[in-house]
Amino acid sequence: MTLIRTFEYLYYKMISIKPINENDIDLCHELDSKTISLWSKKQWTNEFRKEGTKIFGLSIANFLIGICVLQFVLDEAHINYFVVNQKYRKRGFGTCFMNYLIKECKKLNIKRLLLEVSQNNSKAEIFYNRFDFHTVGTRKNYYKDGSNALLKEKKLTTK
């Protein structure tokens, strides 16, 4: 094994994805404020307290680099928040994270996964399309900047 391949192996061995809890609000708010600045600290607190919500953290050697907030309602899950620290993008971490979340949803017999993405965020839309999320609707003037949200769906069961 070459030195580079050994490094890559060790790097990816240090990845962990696990549910996080209210003790991690400050970490979530900090990562959010450095990336998409979507929620205030109070909003993060509310997310952790919502019934049917699970929040997952993506970490490298106990350093939080990604967050996903999933809201479960019956046999559906909605991705309310998904981000990977910009320094760690384009390295496969987001793909690893999304694959994990899809697998977890399948274990829970979730039939479909939903999310919204700004029509102006072409990089995110391309990312979600790679996982077979399809646009099923539009929410006009959904974001603070007035942009529309594309409602995207991924079916997890085949019937």
Side-chain angles (χ1 to χ4, degrees):
M1 192 181 284
T2 68
L3 184 60
I4 291 172
R5 294 198 50 73
T6 302
F7 174 74
E8 287 175 349
Y9 172 78
L10 292 172
Y11 194 56
Y12 285 98
K13 270 306 241 192
M14 296 186 302
I15 294 174
S16 69
I17 301 171
K18 61 185 178 190
I20 56 177
N21 60 41
E22 251 184 283
N23 296 332
D24 299 308
I25 288 171
D26 288 335
L27 292 173
C28 292
H29 183 253
E30 181 182 343
L31 181 56
D32 180 36
S33 64
K34 290 179 181 176
T35 53
I36 58 178
S37 297
L38 190 61
W39 293 338
S40 68
K41 196 168 181 180
K42 184 177 180 181
Q43 286 171 301
W44 275 106
T45 301
N46 291 339
E47 286 301 309
F48 276 98
R49 293 179 179 165
K50 268 188 200 173
E51 192 170 327
T53 297
K54 276 191 176 182
I55 302 175
F56 292 90
L58 168 66
S59 300
I60 297 177
N62 295 322
F63 176 68
L64 187 68
I65 66 161
I67 306 166
C68 180
V69 177
L70 283 171
Q71 179 78 40
F72 295 93
V73 179
L74 301 173
D75 61 353
E76 296 180 355
H78 194 282
I79 297 175
N80 291 339
Y81 187 93
F82 185 92
V83 75
V84 172
N85 183 317
Q86 291 162 335
K87 294 178 185 176
Y88 296 90
R89 292 181 187 169
K90 303 268 185 209
R91 297 183 188 182
F93 295 112
T95 297
C96 176
F97 200 16
M98 184 59 74
N99 283 330
Y100 174 87
L101 297 166
I102 290 168
K103 190 184 300 182
E104 288 299 303
C105 286
K106 286 180 178 180
K107 283 182 194 174
L108 296 170
N109 294 316
I110 299 299
K111 291 186 176 31
R112 67 186 193 143
L113 195 50
L114 300 158
L115 61 86
E116 286 103 12
V117 63
S118 171
Q119 69 180 23
N120 297 338
N121 192 345
S122 59
K123 288 180 182 179
E125 190 176 1
I126 290 167
F127 175 79
Y128 294 128
N129 288 345
R130 286 191 2 236
F131 295 94
D132 296 322
F133 280 90
H134 300 284
T135 301
V136 293
T138 303
R139 296 178 193 225
K140 301 284 185 196
N141 301 313
Y142 187 76
Y143 293 102
K144 293 175 194 172
D145 67 359
S147 64
N148 297 333
L150 302 176
L151 178 60
K152 299 186 89 56
E153 172 189 69
K154 175 178 178 57
K155 292 186 180 182
L156 299 177
T157 58
T158 53
K159 284 191 176 182

